[in-house]
Amino acid sequence: MNEPQAPTGLGSLPLDDLTGQDLAAADEVRVAEPGGEGSSDGFAGITPPARRGGAARFITDVIVELGFLPQSRVDAAVEEGKATGRSPEDVLLQSGALSADQLARATAERFGIDHVDLTVYQPDVTAVNLLTPPAARRYNAVPIGFHSNGHLLVAMADPSNVLAIDDLKLMTGYEIRPACASTEDIAGLIAKMNRLDEAVAEATEVDEEEDDETLVADIRESATDAPTIKLVNSIIAQAVEDGASDVHFEPHGRDMRVRFRIDGVLHETTTIPRRMVPGVISRVKIMADLDIAERRVPQDGRVTLQVEGHHVDVRIVTFPSSGSEGIVMRLLDKEAVLLTLDALGIRDTARVRFQEGFQQAYGAVLVTGPTGSGKSTTLYAALNTVNTVEKNIITIEDPVEYQIPGINQMQVNLKAGLTFAAGLRSMLRADPDIIMVGEIRDGETARIAVEAALTGHLVLTTLHTNDAPSAITRLTEMGVAPFLTASAVDVVVAQRLARRLCNYCKRRTVLTMETLKAANFPDAAFDIEAYEPVGCARCSNTGYRGRVGIYEVMTLTDEIREMTIARESADVIRTKAVEEGMKLLRDDGLEKVKLGITSIAEVARVAA
C-alpha cells in the first residue's frame, strides 16, 4: 500500500473554517455524545467538551471563553497575525502567552470533541503499535486506546484533518474517534514508544559473563517489519519502565488481555486483538527457545535482555487454556539497587532482634512468608550489611535475583543435577562463613541447613509459612528433629509487602473503631488519625507508589526452645512470643498506618 501524502499546514482545512457540526457530519460514527457509547468521559486524562458541535466559533473566541487570555491580548495577536501572515494562535504560541496544552484544549472545545492530556492518560500499548512512528509523525497523531464500541481513540494535534482521519482508518482497520492533544505530548509519546521498542530490539546482546545455559534471544530480526515483534518488544520495555515484576498474557474470549503486576497488584494494560494473538504467542516462545507447535502441555524457558541499560532476566511460563494459551513472564532486574534495612521498613524492636540474629557467628535465621512477600530482598539487605572482605559468603538461589559484589552466588540447575540440597552439601566444603539458601523446599535441604547452623556457620534461608511460629512446626513436619531446630534456629522473621501511600496525593482521615474492627482489629478502643489513598498522575491514579514491609520477628528464647522440643503447637508458641514482646504482623501494619506509610485497607489485605 502506498503511503498517504502528509497533510500540510495545521490541517487539511483551516481551523476557523470547520465547525464542530461539520466535523461530526464528516464522520458521524467517530464523535459520540457525552456519556453515550464510546464516550471517553470519566477516564483519567480525558476532558469532554462543554458542548459538542454548536455554532461556528473562531479559535480565538474559544481561548477567551475558556479564560486562558483576555480579549485585548487576543485582539492584539489577531492584528499581528494579519501584519505578518501568521495565524493568531501561532502568534500567541511563539510569544509564550498561550501554552500548547491550552491551545489543544481550546481546539477540542472548538470542535466539540474530547481533549486528552497524555501526561495523565495511560495509552494502550496495543493501540499505539497499530501505527508506525513515521506515519504517526506524518499525521501528528497517535492511537491511544479503544472504546467499548470498538472504535479507535486517536490523539491528534489537528482534529479538523478529515483526510488524515480517513487515511488512519484505512491503515489501522478501525473506525476512528479523534481526540485533541498538544503537539508536544504527541511527539513525546511517539518518541517514548519508539525508544522503548528500540531499547529491547537493538540492545539485546549476549552477555559474555552469563552461564552457557542462558538463552539470550536476539529480537532484532525483522523488528521494523513485523508488528507482532514490535508489540511484544514494547510490552516488555513498558513493563520494565513501569517497574512490573510480572507480565500476564491471558486469553480473554478470542482476544488476549495483558496485565502488569506492579507493587504486588495486577493492573490491566492492554488487550491484544484476536488477529495478533497467535503471532504474539509464537514470538514469545521463540524468544524463550520453546516449541511453538506444542500447545497441550506447559512449557518454561528464559531469555536475557538489556532494556535501557538494565540487565533483565525474563522467566517465561506457558500454560494451555481453553481454546488458546496463556503466558506469564517474571522480570528480574539483576542490577537493581539493593535495599537497606531502613528502606525495607523494619523498625524498632523488630529490627534489633533481626540484626542480632544475622550478626552472630553461627546459627540460623529464617525468613517466612508467601511467594512475592519480599523474603529474598530482606535476606539480600542482611547480606549487604555483613558483607566484608573478612567473610566468605556463598549463596545458592533459584534464580539469582540480584548480583552482589564480593559474594559467591550459585544458581540451581535441575537439568545438571544441582539442587538446593546438592549445592548446600558442596558449599559446606568450600570454607564458608555465611551461607544463604534461597528456599527450603524439602526435608533434605532443611536437615542440611540446620546441621550447617550447628557446625559453626551462619545460615540465612527462607521458608513458606504464614507467620513466624509456624516455621518451627513446619521444620518438624519436614523431618527435622525438634531438638535440632531448638538448638540451631535463633530468629524467625515473617513478613508481607504492603503498598505505600503516594506522598503526593494521600489524604488525612480518621479511622473509627468500627472501621478498625472491620479490618480485623477487634481490640480497637478509640479512633485514630491516618491517611487514605486518593490517586494522581504520579501514582497512575492508584493512590499507592512503592511498597513497604510489614514484619513479625520472633527470637527463640529458652522458653520457646523448650516448647519446640515438646512439640507444642504454633498457637501456643505464638502466645508465648507475644508475651515476650513479639509484635504481630497486623500490629506492625497498624503502626505504619498511624505513621501515614500505608492504609488500613492494605494492611487488611496482606495481613488478614
Side-chain angles (χ1 to χ4, degrees):
M1 179 185 298
N2 294 329
E3 290 277 7
Q5 295 298 315
T8 58
L10 187 58
S12 58
L13 292 174
L15 282 173
D16 290 329
D17 290 342
L18 187 62
T19 68
Q21 290 176 330
D22 295 331
L23 181 59
D27 190 9
E28 295 178 357
V29 179
R30 299 169 189 138
V31 182
E33 292 302 317
E37 184 181 17
S39 174
S40 304
D41 303 348
F43 286 90
I46 293 185
T47 305
R51 59 177 180 174
R52 304 222 181 222
R57 293 182 292 171
F58 290 103
I59 189 69
T60 49
D61 294 334
V62 179
I63 292 172
V64 175
E65 289 175 11
L66 293 176
F68 293 151
L69 290 173
Q71 184 68 54
S72 58
R73 182 66 182 89
V74 171
D75 291 341
V78 172
E79 294 302 321
E80 183 179 346
K82 289 178 180 179
T84 60
R86 294 181 295 164
S87 66
E89 55 269 23
D90 283 342
V91 173
L92 293 172
L93 280 175
Q94 292 178 11
S95 66
L98 187 71
S99 69
D101 186 67
Q102 286 175 327
L103 177 59
R105 290 178 184 271
T107 303
E109 188 68 29
R110 165 76 170 82
F111 294 122
I113 63 175
D114 294 326
H115 169 266
V116 57
D117 184 353
L118 294 179
T119 63
V120 177
Y121 184 84
Q122 296 295 320
D124 188 310
V125 178
T126 301
V128 173
N129 281 282
L130 288 174
L131 200 63
T132 63
R137 283 190 289 268
R138 179 180 302 111
Y139 295 112
N140 209 3
V142 59
I144 58 173
F146 299 91
H147 285 285
S148 58
N149 60 4
H151 293 183
L152 182 66
L153 179 65
V154 179
M156 306 180 69
D158 177 19
S160 71
N161 192 345
V162 292
L163 298 180
I165 292 175
D166 288 336
D167 289 343
L168 292 173
K169 176 181 176 181
L170 291 174
M171 297 174 73
T172 63
Y174 287 90
E175 291 288 340
I176 304 299
R177 175 189 171 94
C180 195
S182 70
T183 303
E184 288 82 355
D185 285 353
I186 292 174
L189 177 57
I190 296 172
K192 174 184 175 183
M193 297 308 298
N194 195 42
R195 171 176 54 82
L196 288 173
D197 177 61
E198 290 176 353
V200 179
E202 297 178 5
T204 304
E205 298 177 355
V206 177
D207 191 337
E208 295 179 352
E209 298 179 358
E210 285 292 314
D211 190 279
D212 292 340
E213 295 296 322
T214 302
L215 303 174
V216 182
D218 183 357
I219 57 177
R220 292 175 293 182
E221 301 174 358
S222 305
T224 59
D225 302 326
T228 299
I229 295 177
K230 180 177 176 62
L231 175 59
V232 173
N233 292 353
S234 298
I235 290 174
I236 295 174
Q238 189 65 52
V240 173
E241 183 175 86
D242 291 349
S245 61
D246 301 86
V247 180
H248 292 243
F249 295 82
E250 303 166 337
H252 190 66
R254 297 179 64 184
D255 300 328
M256 176 171 277
R257 179 175 63 176
V258 180
R259 295 194 290 173
F260 292 170
R261 186 177 294 278
I262 302 174
D263 293 337
V265 178
L266 285 170
H267 302 274
E268 186 166 353
T269 302
T270 184
T271 299
I272 299 174
R274 65 191 66 177
R275 64 176 181 267
M276 300 183 72
V277 170
V280 168
I281 294 174
S282 296
R283 179 57 189 165
V284 174
K285 285 185 174 181
I286 290 171
M287 290 173 60
D289 199 27
L290 303 179
D291 184 357
I292 62 174
E294 180 57 72
R295 302 177 56 187
R296 300 166 297 176
V297 297
Q299 301 184 69
D300 62 89
R302 58 181 293 190
V303 60
T304 299
L305 306 174
Q306 284 189 1
V307 182
E308 295 194 316
H310 291 272
H311 194 91
V312 181
D313 191 20
V314 184
R315 299 303 175 97
I316 297 173
V317 176
T318 70
F319 53 91
S321 182
S322 177
S324 184
E325 282 184 283
I327 299 171
V328 176
M329 293 181 171
R330 168 63 60 88
L331 308 179
L332 298 174
D333 188 348
K334 291 189 174 183
E335 298 173 3
V337 178
L338 287 175
L339 296 178
T340 62
L341 292 178
D342 290 330
L344 290 177
I346 187 168
R347 307 173 59 251
D348 303 333
T349 305
R351 175 169 176 164
V352 172
R353 291 183 172 192
F354 182 43
Q355 284 182 309
E356 288 176 349
F358 68 72
Q359 288 178 343
Q360 293 184 120
Y362 57 88
V365 176
L366 306 181
V367 180
T368 74
T371 301
S373 59
K375 301 185 297 296
S376 297
T377 302
T378 298
L379 289 185
Y380 279 126
L383 287 180
N384 218 28
T385 303
V386 298
N387 183 15
T388 63
V389 293
E390 292 84 10
K391 294 181 180 178
N392 180 24
I393 303 175
I394 307 177
T395 75
I396 178 165
E397 308 167 59
D398 184 24
V400 175
E401 297 186 17
Y402 303 102
Q403 295 182 343
I404 310 176
I407 294 181
N408 303 300
Q409 295 174 270
M410 185 188 311
Q411 181 155 313
V412 168
N413 189 332
L414 298 180
K415 293 182 180 179
L418 179 56
T419 62
F420 276 112
L424 187 51
R425 278 195 297 267
S426 65
M427 287 162 57
L428 292 174
R429 298 190 291 269
D431 187 31
D433 295 300
I434 300 175
I435 295 172
M436 187 188 104
V437 183
E439 181 182 347
I440 292 181
R441 296 178 178 173
D442 53 71
E444 183 181 9
T445 304
R447 287 190 295 273
I448 298 173
V450 168
E451 290 170 2
L454 291 171
T455 54
H457 305 93
L458 176 62
V459 178
L460 308 179
T461 186
T462 70
L463 195 64
H464 286 286
T465 63
N466 291 328
D467 57 16
S470 298
I472 303 300
T473 56
R474 177 63 55 84
L475 289 176
T476 302
E477 293 168 358
M478 297 178 80
V480 178
F483 72 90
L484 294 178
T485 300
S487 301
V489 178
D490 293 307
V491 175
V492 182
V493 180
Q495 71 175 79
R496 301 289 190 276
L497 288 178
R499 291 182 292 173
R500 287 181 180 269
L501 286 168
C502 175
N503 289 326
Y504 294 96
C505 65
K506 64 182 181 181
R507 180 172 58 202
R508 184 177 292 276
T509 186
V510 174
L511 300 177
T512 63
M513 289 187 290
E514 291 73 16
T515 302
L516 292 171
K517 290 178 180 179
N520 196 28
F521 292 94
D523 299 330
F526 50 84
D527 300 346
I528 64 173
E529 289 189 0
Y531 287 85
E532 63 182 358
V534 177
C536 65
R538 292 182 176 89
C539 61
S540 300
N541 293 296
T542 63
Y544 300 96
R545 190 175 184 183
R547 289 193 286 180
V548 65
I550 296 176
Y551 296 92
E552 176 179 289
V553 183
M554 181 181 75
T555 301
L556 267 72
T557 60
D558 291 339
E559 291 81 358
I560 293 179
R561 294 184 194 278
E562 292 175 1
M563 290 181 175
T564 301
I565 296 174
R567 298 177 181 263
E568 296 285 0
S569 68
D571 292 336
V572 174
I573 296 175
R574 182 184 304 106
T575 301
K576 184 62 180 178
V578 170
E579 291 176 0
E580 295 179 345
M582 183 184 78
K583 185 178 292 185
L584 296 175
L585 282 168
R586 59 188 181 88
D587 294 329
D588 186 51
L590 185 60
E591 287 295 321
K592 290 180 170 65
V593 170
K594 294 177 181 178
L595 292 171
I597 299 173
T598 187
S599 68
I600 193 67
E602 271 297 287
V603 174
R605 181 179 68 87
V606 302

